Amino acid sequence: MLMEEQAVSITLSEILDNMDNAIIAVNPQGLIIFANQAVFKILKIPVQDIIGQPVNTYFPGTRLLKVLENGIAELGQRLTLNDTVLLSNRTPLYVDGELVGAVAVFQDITILQNFLDNLVIEHEKTKQLQRTLEVVLNTAYDGLIVVNKKGVVTMTNQAFARFFLSISR
C-alpha cells in the first residue's frame, strides 16, 4: 500500500512539474509548502529556495492569506509580477472538512494582455482618425458624403446636409 501511494505521489509531482501553469500551495500559516517548476519561470528563483517561506514574500498581492482567513475561493484574479501578467485562481484546501491550506494556480497571460493593450491603442487611434476626418469634412465648403463598400452612407458634412435640405424642400 505504501509503495502504491508513493508511486501516485511521484506521478502527481511529475504531472504538476510539467504544467505550464505555475502552482503554489501554502499551509495555514501562509508558508509555501509546494511550488511546481513553472514558478521558477516567473520568479527566476529555484523552487526549493521558496519552500517554507512566507507566500507574500514572493507573491505579494496573491490574497492567499485572505483565502485562508475566510475559506472562500477567488477565481480569475489578475496579478502582475516581475513584468508578467498572471491570471490567478486561489482556492482553499480542505481535508476532512478542516481548512489545511490554500492553493494558487497562475496562468501567464502577458501575451494576451499585450495584445489587448495594443488593440485598445489601435481603437483609440481609429477613433482619433475618425474625429480628424469629421473635422476635415465639416470645415469643407463643398458638400461631402462618405459611403462604405456597400454604398451605405457612413458620414456627411454640414455643407452636404444644408444642400440636401435645400433641394428636398
Side-chain angles (χ1 to χ4, degrees):
M1 179 74 170
L2 182 58
M3 192 64 154
E4 288 174 353
E5 288 176 4
Q6 207 171 18
V8 170
S9 173
I10 292 169
T11 303
L12 181 58
S13 178
E14 290 172 351
I15 291 168
L16 294 176
D17 274 340
N18 283 287
M19 290 183 65
D20 285 330
N21 292 347
I23 302 170
I24 60 170
V26 297
N27 66 13
Q29 293 74 40
L31 301 178
I32 298 171
I33 58 172
F34 174 82
N36 70 348
Q37 290 301 313
V39 171
F40 175 76
K41 293 177 189 174
I42 297 169
L43 296 180
K44 309 294 188 252
I45 297 170
V47 171
Q48 61 271 18
D49 290 355
I50 69 169
I51 302 297
Q53 300 299 313
V55 68
N56 284 340
T57 301
Y58 297 99
F59 291 90
T62 68
R63 294 179 44 94
L64 266 177
L65 298 179
K66 187 71 171 173
V67 170
L68 282 170
E69 181 183 308
N70 63 26
I72 300 171
E74 295 182 353
L75 305 176
Q77 303 297 310
R78 188 175 178 271
L79 175 70
T80 302
L81 191 63
N82 295 342
D83 297 326
T84 303
V85 182
L86 303 165
L87 185 64
S88 173
N89 290 333
R90 300 178 283 270
T91 310
L93 294 174
Y94 289 94
V95 174
D96 297 326
E98 181 183 346
L99 182 64
V100 296
V103 65
V105 178
F106 302 96
Q107 182 173 1
D108 186 346
I109 60 167
T110 306
I111 293 170
L112 177 61
Q113 186 64 51
N114 289 340
F115 172 76
L116 292 174
D117 291 346
N118 288 336
L119 198 59
V120 168
I121 290 168
E122 290 303 316
H123 179 69
E124 288 301 317
K125 286 180 182 177
T126 301
K127 283 174 44 179
Q128 181 61 38
L129 285 171
Q130 184 176 0
R131 286 190 292 268
T132 301
L133 180 58
E134 288 171 357
V135 168
V136 168
L137 284 175
N138 284 322
T139 56
Y141 291 110
D142 295 328
L144 299 172
I145 184 170
V146 178
V147 296
N148 66 15
K149 291 178 183 178
K150 295 180 180 177
V152 175
V153 175
T154 59
M155 222 181 259
T156 64
N157 67 352
Q158 293 296 326
F160 177 82
R162 283 190 300 274
F163 171 76
F164 187 73
L165 285 173
S166 69
I167 63 167
S168 65
R169 289 183 188 171

